[in-house]
Amino acid sequence: MSKIKKIGVLTSGGDAPGMNAAIRAVVRAGIYYDLEVTGILRGYEGLIHGDFIEMNAKSVANIIQRGGTILKTARSKEFRTVEGRKIAHERLVKAGIDALVVIGGDGTFTGANLFASEFNFPIIGLPGTIDNDLRGTDFTIGYDSAINTVIDAVDKIRDTAESHDRLFIVEVMGRDSGLIALRSGIGVGAESILIPEANSGVEGLVTRLEGGRRDKSSKIIIVAEGDEIGGAFNVGEALKEKFPTYDIRVSVLGHIQRGGKPSCMDRVLASRLGVAAVEGLLNGRTREMAGQVNREVVFTPFDSAIKHIDAEEITPTWLKLVDILSM
């Protein structure tokens, strides 16, 4: 076991349901191992400005069910500079913080990896992002909650779509990854799913709609915001030209996918990985992300976790499943 006596914890980048559960687990694991725990407000920006708060068991009571992050989050341009990271290191040394747990996604881990290598500072990351786009974990914290939010919203949209015989194009988050669109689209029985990884284009969508059942009273198309056509409104305009008789509506779900209570799966995942992060630091690990693969906790170097390869790769098998079920 290392000589770590005080750890800091922060959340960075986009918020995700389950971040509070992860913070809670880090704090309580720290207390269990007789460590002091400091919360860092507003991510790396707060680290540079010394926005620190001491945390204890009471400070994380009754937060496991809350969405968002009690530590707040922000993106920091200053942390991308050598000068900014030097200031951040000085803040940590002055506060007596020996190691960090950072909760976030690709950008968070990129910054953590650089900082840890520059100052030989122990850091473990927790995968907190709704996109599920990190290698080294089957699921990221927040992904399950986000897709369930999408399903709940689209089920309600389907009700009004059937009442009016409408075609709804629903845009979900996923600038670089279509995993939210893929799983939620299958879950709601969408007639088509448009994702960045499968560039079917307008013609492919038209072919699918023309070949579909004519007796369906409603149609739902799920579009990831990063799809090559350019999002739901562009898809809507293209379909209006091809199908002028269709009653087409567009709905952009937006940031409701980030908010709300985390699912049980995300609460348990965040709790398990939060404890693992603290134990990893105490056992000398650094520059790694704690994840869960095949139900086991694993540690993946930041370099491998942030290569933009989807944790759940969209294979031809998934795309075939979409084809079969959309009839």
Side-chain angles (χ1 to χ4, degrees):
M1 303 291 275
S2 74
K3 296 181 180 179
I4 291 173
K5 297 298 182 184
K6 189 174 185 177
I7 61 174
V9 57
L10 62 82
T11 51
S12 175
D15 60 302
M19 280 185 165
N20 281 326
I23 295 167
R24 173 181 180 269
V26 169
V27 172
R28 295 198 169 180
I31 295 169
Y32 179 87
Y33 287 108
D34 198 27
L35 305 174
E36 294 180 64
V37 184
T38 297
I40 300 165
L41 300 176
R42 299 183 298 111
Y44 295 132
E45 190 72 5
L47 180 54
I48 290 172
H49 293 282
D51 293 338
F52 300 162
I53 56 172
E54 298 307 310
M55 304 192 77
N56 53 40
K58 184 178 180 181
S59 64
V60 293
N62 200 33
I63 67 168
I64 193 171
Q65 80 280 9
R66 290 172 56 184
T69 162
I70 63 167
L71 293 179
K72 310 297 183 180
T73 182
R75 289 179 169 83
S76 177
K77 291 183 179 179
E78 194 174 357
F79 193 76
R80 297 177 184 177
T81 68
V82 174
E83 295 78 12
R85 293 191 296 274
K86 184 178 179 181
I87 293 171
H89 182 253
E90 291 170 354
R91 294 284 193 186
L92 290 172
V93 172
K94 184 178 180 180
I97 296 172
D98 305 307
L100 281 178
V101 176
V102 299
I103 307 167
D106 177 85
T108 301
F109 295 163
T110 299
N113 195 33
L114 186 58
F115 183 84
S117 63
E118 287 176 337
F119 299 100
N120 192 30
F121 199 88
I123 303 180
I124 293 291
L126 296 182
T129 169
I130 66 172
D131 291 322
N132 204 41
D133 59 351
L134 296 169
R135 169 158 282 191
T137 188
D138 289 333
F139 298 103
T140 57
I141 298 166
Y143 175 60
D144 185 67
S145 300
I147 58 177
N148 277 290
T149 294
V150 172
I151 285 176
D152 181 64
V154 177
D155 283 348
K156 294 171 182 176
I157 289 172
R158 176 78 80 173
D159 289 341
T160 190
E162 289 186 348
S163 298
H164 296 273
D165 292 336
R166 284 174 175 159
L167 184 155
F168 265 85
I169 303 163
V170 182
E171 182 178 299
V172 301
M173 285 184 165
R175 186 179 59 222
D176 301 310
S177 170
L179 289 172
I180 292 176
L182 178 69
R183 278 203 173 233
S184 62
I186 292 172
V188 300
E191 278 63 44
S192 188
I193 304 169
L194 303 182
I195 56 179
E197 296 87 344
N199 298 323
S200 57
V202 174
E203 294 306 318
L205 177 57
V206 169
T207 299
R208 182 182 297 276
L209 291 175
E210 288 178 336
R213 283 171 40 204
R214 298 289 180 175
D215 60 340
K216 281 192 174 183
S217 60
S218 67
K219 291 181 173 63
I220 299 290
I221 297 172
I222 301 293
V223 181
E225 62 181 321
D227 178 74
E228 66 165 351
I229 301 175
F233 284 101
N234 287 348
V235 173
E237 290 301 317
L239 290 184
K240 285 177 183 178
E241 292 183 10
K242 296 289 184 179
F243 301 101
T245 60
Y246 276 21
D247 188 359
I248 297 173
R249 295 290 188 276
V250 174
S251 181
V252 178
L253 298 187
H255 285 78
I256 68 166
Q257 294 158 88
R258 291 197 184 279
K261 294 182 177 181
S263 66
C264 179
M265 176 177 168
D266 276 328
R267 298 183 198 193
V268 174
L269 178 65
S271 298
R272 189 181 190 193
L273 297 185
V275 172
V278 174
E279 292 178 338
L281 287 170
L282 290 174
N283 285 306
R285 291 187 175 275
T286 185
R287 298 177 65 186
E288 294 180 320
M289 180 195 78
Q292 180 176 286
V293 177
N294 295 329
R295 301 182 182 180
E296 297 294 330
V297 172
V298 299
F299 288 87
T300 303
F302 284 145
D303 282 339
S304 298
I306 59 181
K307 285 184 176 179
H308 294 284
I309 300 174
D310 294 331
E312 173 193 9
E313 294 183 26
I314 297 178
T315 63
T317 302
W318 279 107
L319 300 178
K320 181 180 178 182
L321 180 64
V322 173
D323 284 338
I324 293 172
L325 296 177
S326 63
M327 291 181 179

